[in-house]
């Protein structure tokens, strides 16, 4: 190694935080990419790790995730999808049967059979069914009791627009994100369901720009228990500091809720401050450009997705690293026909974060030699980190953005069935499916075999799986997308 | 700390007092995909728990069963939920439950459920004052634990009592004294000073600015402190230019600081060990120049360029984006 990156400055004033940081840098520096050997994604050991968990089962130390069985399933299945691996029909059916055994008789899915329904478990179950399920008897999709899920959702709703994650459970933005994804996928979004939720999300943004787990709706316990509580005006106090995981859930929720805001609504998040905070979550060269989850904490492979995945979501807010914005704006002036060209016209795009460095962190520090991916060396791999490292790799390789041309095509193809909420349903359908991978701009570090699939950034499912389950529940045919060639 | 050793205890399947209950196996008619290999104790207890859930029993023995499960897997939210409902139904002593929860909080401070259980209990017990020293004790184990902090913040907002609020700034100051880079403590300071509602007038702002600048002087590359400075200004809609003189002391290289000059309390100088220039200061000053409009633009661009090319190269794309955004937006 001819060149060593700078250590994080400690200003001659070491503290516990800087000690931990230095120790981590000492470990990471031995994993710096070598100029002579391009880093390789060791797909085979990772797949073996995943297959072993799926088919043979998880070792006893995973007992701590007994209440997260749907997550173990989702992490594993979504890894296969992202790594371009299909699942045989027999295992697919076993997966469907297993997932359905988590469905609660009163609606929603629990962390395992006989467990209480939980918003997070319901996300992981429904997304897993998006991957392995199908319509018809035993297919999984038609066995989801959507009406009961909806009723259960409404029973979890709080006066400030938030939701508790389960009966007598806690409120946080993870739960809201999970609820909204499922509501989108299953076509159960209603104005009543999401009333006040966007306000809640906005109230969770902290002074740093990221998002907290929750906010508090009012000061002091209600003196009169019968009186309806009055929510504080903005800003409401944040519960917890800005955090990468909560920021992902909050931003994705915001993108999912934004299309339903009343016209002329001034409600907004501070995109500029969020962007600044997000870019600061990327560790420096000596940390191999991995992401951290909070200011002055350590890098961790899972934030490759929770933070790295947020840059695609920012595209929905018009925040993009794409260079020729003024030119594409000029194309759209009163000329609808130009839209198709606009998407293709983005001949040079770039991200707002260091895509190359993030890939190097995942490939050089995130991979465990024996298979599976991890937080950081010398830690062991696990199912959670394996997915979120792979998903982060995907986010760093591809640019996925909401395409105006695709949106218009989907709007035109929408078959109205005169149902109540037709406009709202159409909006949900179009918003979710208008995300496209930009052709010809993927950036793969290492050999081309390192390439993984792009994922739909709102749901962390592939476009194919998103389209499959949504066309089923919305009774729509998704028009084929034929990418136009770049000039 | 390891969960209690229940290896010696009798399995529920062999306890006469449980013989009336039919345990329910987890997967009855299917061959599950991705199963977990539980140890026999856990399997035994959760089989009985599923049996209890099926019959809807809410009785004192359920408290014993759920405690066993929680100690084996504190993330078992259904066991916690069922335990809470049983406590209420059996009119059990919530004060006793809080004592048990103290122990469980110490052991399982990283789980959501133990903190939420506390919150449910506190809501009914309405005795928040002893919570503050207890939380401090937990912070000694893990000073950045997210749940611990959000619980403390909930407690303060929920009760909104003066005798609780007054303890907070001394705590934050102790913690920042120990570790000025503790972002959780900085966030808590912002919560206490600015999110409490009211009481953040001019004096407060002056005090906070003095406090944070002194901390920046101590370690000028500490992003937590710079973010706090920005937080104050953004929150009070004060222009960044008010801090330009201060910031300029941190964008020069260390060598230039040799000369002794008059001590300026408003603008404390970087400490001796400071590694200058501080990238965060350069960024801040660039924001000051950007806000000046056309006249400051070239200076802002120069600073962003220096971040992109030299002082903060990992964020090169971002600094270049800032340059593009500022130059596109500016009038010709």
């Amino acid at each position: 190694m001819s060149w060593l990156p700078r250590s994080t400055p400690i200003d001659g004033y070491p503290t516990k935080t800087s000690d931990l940081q230095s120790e981590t840098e000492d470990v990471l520096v031995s994993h710096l990419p070598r100029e002579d050997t391009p880093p390789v994604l060791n797909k085979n050991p990772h797949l073996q790790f995943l297959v072993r968990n799926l088919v043979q089962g998880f070792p006893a130390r995973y007992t701590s995730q007994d209440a997260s069985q749907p997550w173990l399933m989702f992490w594993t299945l979504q890894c296969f999808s992202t790594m371009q691996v299909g699942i045989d029909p027999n295992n697919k059916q076993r997966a469907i049967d297993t997932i359905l055994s988590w469905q609660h008789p009163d609606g929603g899915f629990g962390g395992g059979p006989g467990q209480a329904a939980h918003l997070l478990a319901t996300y992981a179950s429904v997304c897993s069914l998006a991957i392995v399920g199908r319509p018809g008897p035993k297919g999984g999709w038609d066995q989801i009791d959507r009406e009961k899920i909806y009723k259960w959702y409404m029973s979890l709703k709080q006066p400030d627009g938030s939701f508790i994650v389960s009966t007598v459970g806690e409120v946080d933005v993870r739960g809201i994100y999970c609820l909204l994804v499922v509501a989108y996928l299953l076509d159960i979004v209603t104005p009543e369901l999401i009333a006040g939720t966007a306000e809640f999300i906005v109230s969770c943004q902290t002074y740093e720009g990221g998002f907290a787990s929750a906010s508090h709706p009012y000061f002091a316990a209600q003196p009169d228990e019968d009186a309806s509580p009055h929510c504080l005006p903005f800003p409401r106090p944040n519960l917890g500091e800005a955090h990468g995981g909560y920021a992902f859930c909050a931003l994705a929720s915001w993108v999912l809720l934004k299309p339903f805001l009343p016209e002329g609504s001034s409600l907004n998040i501070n995109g500029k401050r969020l962007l600044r905070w997000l870019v600061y979550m990327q560790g420096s060269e000596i940390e191999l450009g991995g992401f951290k989850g909070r200011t002055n904490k350590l890098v961790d492979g899972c934030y490759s997705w929770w933070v790295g995945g947020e840059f695609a979501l920012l595209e929905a807010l018009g925040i993009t690293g794409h260079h020729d914005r003024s030119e594409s704006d000029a194309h759209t002036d009163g000329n609808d026909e130009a839209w198709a060209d606009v998407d293709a016209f983005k001949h040079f795009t770039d991200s707002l974060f260091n895509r190359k460095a993030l890939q190097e962190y995942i490939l050089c520090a995130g991979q465990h030699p024996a298979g599976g991916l991890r937080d950081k060396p010398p830690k062991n791999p696990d199912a959670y980190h394996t997915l979120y490292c792979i998903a982060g790799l995907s986010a760093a390789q591809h640019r996925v953005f909401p395409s105006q041309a695709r949106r218009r095509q989907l709007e035109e193809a929408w078959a109205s069935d005169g149902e109540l909420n037709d406009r709202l349903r159409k909006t949900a359908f179009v918003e979710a499916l208008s995300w496209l991978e930009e052709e010809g701009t993927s950036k793969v570090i290492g050999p081309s075999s390192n390439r993984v699939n792009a994922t739909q950034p709102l749901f962390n499912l592939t476009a194919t799986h998103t389209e499959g389950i949504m066309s089923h529940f919305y009774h729509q045919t998704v028009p084929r997308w034929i990418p136009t060639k770049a000039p | 700390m390891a969960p209690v050793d229940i290896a010696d205890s009798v399995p529920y399947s062999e306890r006469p007092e449980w013989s009336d209950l039919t345990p329910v196996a987890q997967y009855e008619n299917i061959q599950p995909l991705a199963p977990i290999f539980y140890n026999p104790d856990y399997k035994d207890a959760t089989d009985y728990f599923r049996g209890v859930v099926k019959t809807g029993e809410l009785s004192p023995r359920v408290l014993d069963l759920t405690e066993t499960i929680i100690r084996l897997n504190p993330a078992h939210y259904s066991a916690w939920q069922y335990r809470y409902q049983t406590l209420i139904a059996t009119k059990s002593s919530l004060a006793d439950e809080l004592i048990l929860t103290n122990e469980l909080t110490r052991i399982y401070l990283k789980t959501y459920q133990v903190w939420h259980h506390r919150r449910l209990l506190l809501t009914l017990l309405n005795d928040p004052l002893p919570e503050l020293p207890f939380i401090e004790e937990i912070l000694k184990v893990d000073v950045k634990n997210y749940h611990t902090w959000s619980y403390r913040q909930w407690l303060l907002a929920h009760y909104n009592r003066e005798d609780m609020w007054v303890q907070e700034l001394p705590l934050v100051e102790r913690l920042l004294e120990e570790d000025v880079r503790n972002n959780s403590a900085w966030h808590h300071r912002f919560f206490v000073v600015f999110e409490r509602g009211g009481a953040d007038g001019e004096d407060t702002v002056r005090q906070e600015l003095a406090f944070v600048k002194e901390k920046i002087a101590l370690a000028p590359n500490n992003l937590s402190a710079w973010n706090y400075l920005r937080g104050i200004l953004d929150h009070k809609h004060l222009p960044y230019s008010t801090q330009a003189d201060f910031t300029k002391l941190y964008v020069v290289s260390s060598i230039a600081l040799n000369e002794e000059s008059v001590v300026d309390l408003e603008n404390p100088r970087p400490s001796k060990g400071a590694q200058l220039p501080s990238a965060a200061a350069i960024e801040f000053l660039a924001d000051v120049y950007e806000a000046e409009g056309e006249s400051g633009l070239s200076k802002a661009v120069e600073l962003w360029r220096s971040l992109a090319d030299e002082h903060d190269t990992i964020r090169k794309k971002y600094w270049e984006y800032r340059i593009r955004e500022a130059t596109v937006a500016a009038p010709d």
Side-chain angles (χ1 to χ4, degrees):
Chain A
M1 191 71 51
S2 55
W3 170 85
L4 270 187
R6 267 182 301 206
S7 308
T8 300
I10 54 175
D11 296 316
Y13 191 82
T15 62
K16 200 174 165 195
T17 296
S18 63
D19 289 349
L20 263 176
Q21 176 68 26
S22 304
E23 285 164 28
T24 305
E25 290 175 7
D26 288 347
V27 174
L28 288 175
V29 80
S30 65
H31 292 264
L32 281 170
R34 302 163 65 98
E35 273 163 42
D36 48 339
T37 38
V40 173
L41 178 66
N42 300 314
K43 281 187 181 169
N44 275 338
H46 300 325
L47 290 173
Q48 281 166 19
F49 171 83
L50 294 164
V51 168
R52 199 165 53 232
N53 290 338
L54 196 69
V55 180
Q56 293 177 16
F58 286 90
R61 64 187 162 86
Y62 280 87
T63 298
S64 61
Q65 297 192 8
D66 182 38
S68 302
Q69 293 179 55
W71 286 104
L72 295 174
M73 181 73 86
F74 173 70
W75 295 329
T76 308
L77 296 177
Q78 179 57 12
C79 266
F80 286 132
S81 308
T82 315
M83 287 204 276
Q84 300 154 326
V85 172
I87 299 151
D88 67 277
N90 175 43
N91 278 316
K92 263 191 185 173
Q93 190 59 51
R94 278 177 67 194
I96 294 165
D97 296 344
T98 309
I99 298 161
L100 289 176
S101 76
W102 304 327
Q103 187 163 216
H104 194 277
D106 299 330
F109 290 76
Q115 296 188 29
H118 194 291
L119 290 180
L120 274 63
T122 302
Y123 161 91
S125 298
V126 170
C127 286
S128 296
L129 285 174
I131 300 169
V132 292
R134 59 178 193 275
K138 297 191 78 179
W141 290 357
D142 294 326
Q143 288 71 47
I144 301 173
D145 196 327
R146 294 158 63 239
E147 273 177 38
K148 278 187 180 168
I149 290 185
Y150 183 79
K151 278 188 192 142
W152 169 63
Y153 274 181
M154 290 305 286
S155 77
L156 301 174
K157 183 140 196 185
Q158 303 299 301
D160 64 351
S162 67
F163 294 84
I164 49 177
V165 294
S166 61
T167 309
V168 303
E170 71 274 12
V171 165
D172 73 36
V173 293
R174 298 173 315 158
I176 293 172
Y177 165 70
C178 289
L179 174 146
L180 290 171
V181 170
V182 169
Y184 257 75
L185 293 177
L186 300 184
D187 186 14
I188 55 173
V189 179
T190 68
E192 296 76 28
L193 182 71
I194 58 174
T197 309
E199 282 84 349
F200 179 81
I201 294 295
V202 169
S203 77
C204 295
Q205 190 168 22
T206 84
Y207 69 93
E208 288 195 277
F211 286 79
S213 67
S215 68
H216 194 65
Y218 16 79
F219 279 119
Q222 292 291 308
D224 175 6
E225 283 189 6
D226 296 329
S228 68
H230 285 288
C231 289
L232 285 171
F234 294 121
R236 294 176 199 154
N238 298 138
L239 304 182
E241 72 198 275
H243 182 286
Y246 295 122
F248 180 93
C249 293
L251 176 57
S253 297
W254 173 253
V255 174
L256 291 167
L257 290 164
K258 207 169 150 264
F260 304 120
L261 291 176
E263 235 170 278
S265 165
S266 62
L267 192 68
N268 214 341
I269 59 170
N270 189 325
K272 239 172 119 175
R273 213 178 290 169
L274 172 61
L275 170 64
R276 175 183 178 271
W277 180 81
L278 288 172
V279 296
Y280 269 113
M281 289 301 107
Q282 187 157 31
S284 70
E285 284 84 355
I286 200 165
E287 295 161 280
L288 278 68
F291 277 100
K292 43 192 86 183
R294 299 187 242 167
T295 305
N296 275 334
K297 292 271 285 180
L298 303 172
V299 291
D300 176 338
C302 74
Y303 295 115
S304 306
W305 172 255
W306 297 125
V307 181
E310 290 189 63
F311 291 93
L313 297 173
L314 287 178
E315 300 254 7
L317 310 183
I319 299 172
T320 174
H322 146 235
H323 283 208
D324 47 8
R325 199 185 60 169
S326 54
E327 288 169 76
S328 47
D329 283 350
H331 274 246
T332 66
D333 275 348
N335 183 354
D336 282 352
E337 291 308 311
W339 276 121
D341 291 325
V342 173
D343 288 332
F345 188 69
K346 291 164 180 166
H347 53 81
F348 184 69
T349 66
D350 214 326
S351 184
L352 296 168
F353 70 104
N354 193 326
R355 289 166 69 176
K356 176 170 179 280
L358 177 59
Q359 293 184 46
E360 287 171 348
Y361 180 86
I362 296 163
L363 295 168
C364 301
Q367 300 192 85
H368 193 278
L373 291 98
R374 61 188 170 189
D375 166 351
K376 64 175 79 59
K379 296 199 178 186
N380 282 322
D382 57 54
Y384 166 83
H385 283 92
T386 302
L387 174 62
Y388 293 113
C389 284
I390 293 292
L393 185 64
S394 166
Q397 288 180 349
H398 308 285
R399 173 171 181 246
V400 183
F401 70 104
S403 156
Q404 293 298 337
R406 178 61 165 164
R407 186 189 305 264
R408 215 167 64 112
Q409 189 196 23
L410 287 161
E411 278 171 355
E412 277 167 10
W414 174 262
S416 173
D417 51 11
E419 264 191 61
L420 204 69
N421 292 333
D422 184 72
R423 230 181 98 194
L424 184 141
R425 296 176 56 240
K426 179 179 171 182
T427 302
F429 186 76
V430 171
E431 289 294 329
L433 299 183
S434 63
W435 292 81
L436 284 182
E437 180 189 354
E438 189 174 47
E439 297 293 319
T441 57
S442 61
K443 183 174 186 172
V444 176
I445 302 302
S448 60
S449 59
N450 282 2
R451 188 184 186 280
V452 295
N453 277 335
T455 68
Q456 204 276 12
L458 284 164
F459 306 153
N460 197 9
L461 290 169
T462 61
T464 312
H465 291 144
T466 310
E467 287 175 7
I469 192 167
M470 286 189 76
S471 60
H472 176 69
F473 284 113
Y474 287 74
H475 312 293
Q476 299 291 321
T477 310
V478 179
R480 242 187 94 207
W481 174 250
I482 301 153
T484 37
K485 282 206 182 85
Chain B
M1 209 181 303
V4 284
D5 184 14
I6 62 157
D8 297 335
S9 69
V10 182
Y12 287 89
S13 56
E14 289 169 24
R15 295 189 196 184
E17 71 272 24
W18 282 91
S19 59
D20 59 306
L21 193 109
T22 312
V24 176
Q26 178 163 234
Y27 292 103
E28 285 180 305
N29 305 311
I30 59 164
Q31 192 198 357
L33 205 61
I36 301 169
F37 294 110
Y38 310 105
N39 67 37
D41 294 335
Y42 187 77
K43 191 184 169 299
D44 169 65
T46 49
D47 284 353
Y48 275 78
F49 179 65
R50 276 181 289 272
V52 164
V53 171
K54 200 172 174 183
T55 61
E57 175 182 333
L58 301 165
S59 69
R61 69 175 180 176
V62 171
L63 295 176
D64 168 76
L65 177 66
T66 51
E67 185 184 337
T68 302
I69 292 172
I70 285 164
R71 285 179 185 277
L72 292 167
N73 174 17
H76 200 302
Y77 66 89
S78 305
W80 283 103
Q81 181 204 82
Y82 209 85
R83 178 176 185 83
Y84 176 74
Q85 288 165 335
T86 307
L87 286 166
I88 302 299
T90 56
K91 299 190 167 57
S92 299
S93 159
L94 298 183
D96 289 351
E97 180 69 5
L98 188 63
I99 294 169
L100 173 70
T101 306
N102 286 346
E103 186 209 330
L104 297 173
T105 309
R106 286 189 191 98
I107 312 175
Y108 306 117
L109 70 161
K110 285 200 190 285
T111 61
Y112 281 86
Q113 286 75 25
V114 72
W115 290 102
H116 184 63
H117 191 65
R118 258 199 115 75
R119 178 163 158 175
L120 292 174
L121 294 176
L122 253 290
T123 307
L124 296 175
L125 285 166
N126 272 317
D127 182 20
L129 222 47
E131 287 298 278
L132 296 177
F134 176 79
I135 297 166
E136 251 190 274
E137 182 197 323
I138 301 293
L139 285 175
K140 287 200 177 91
V141 184
D142 180 358
V143 76
K144 295 184 181 178
N145 186 287
Y146 203 93
H147 308 302
T148 315
W149 281 111
S150 52
Y151 175 75
R152 192 175 183 100
Q153 285 147 12
W154 167 78
L155 201 72
L156 288 160
H158 184 73
Y159 288 100
N160 194 25
R161 279 169 49 165
E162 192 53 38
D163 57 350
M164 293 169 69
W165 286 111
V166 292
Q167 307 193 26
E168 298 310 289
L169 280 187
L171 167 72
V172 169
E173 271 152 43
R174 277 200 303 282
L175 293 176
L176 291 178
E177 196 68 36
E178 277 166 32
D179 186 350
V180 74
R181 300 180 177 89
N182 180 349
N183 199 61
S184 306
W186 281 106
H187 176 267
H188 192 59
R189 188 170 185 99
F190 196 86
F191 173 86
V192 171
V193 177
F194 296 108
E195 296 188 344
R196 195 188 148 173
D200 59 352
E202 266 180 48
D203 283 352
T204 309
V205 171
R206 206 174 306 123
Q207 262 170 41
E208 290 309 299
L209 287 173
F211 179 85
V212 70
K213 287 195 278 190
E214 191 198 305
K215 297 297 184 196
I216 288 175
L218 215 52
N221 286 286
N222 175 14
L223 193 63
S224 293
W226 285 101
N227 285 355
Y228 189 79
L229 173 62
R230 287 168 170 270
I232 301 170
L233 301 173
D234 292 342
H235 183 76
K236 304 307 287 186
H237 305 289
L238 293 169
Y240 283 19
S241 56
T242 56
Q243 305 307 319
D245 288 343
F246 169 72
T247 308
K248 282 174 184 164
L249 299 170
Y250 294 80
V251 298
V252 292
S253 65
S254 321
I255 309 128
L257 279 167
N258 285 339
E259 68 222 69
E260 284 293 318
S261 64
V262 190
V263 178
D264 176 358
L265 288 176
E266 293 246 326
N267 301 308
R269 295 181 150 266
S271 66
K272 285 215 168 66
Q275 285 168 269
L276 299 181
S278 148
I282 298 177
E283 182 204 11
F284 192 98
L285 195 59
D287 284 352
V288 172
Y289 289 137
E290 186 192 24
E292 279 178 16
E294 209 184 337
S295 62
L297 194 57
S298 65
K299 284 187 275 187
V301 168
E302 195 187 320
L303 291 172
W304 283 323
R305 214 47 281 164
S306 81
L307 289 168
D309 296 340
E310 190 183 352
H311 301 297
D312 193 35
T313 48
I314 198 80
R315 271 167 282 284
K316 191 183 182 70
K317 300 289 179 196
Y318 175 68
W319 303 124
E320 288 173 347
Y321 163 82
R322 292 295 301 273
I323 293 172
R324 276 200 310 280
E325 288 289 298
T327 27
V328 167
D332 292 325

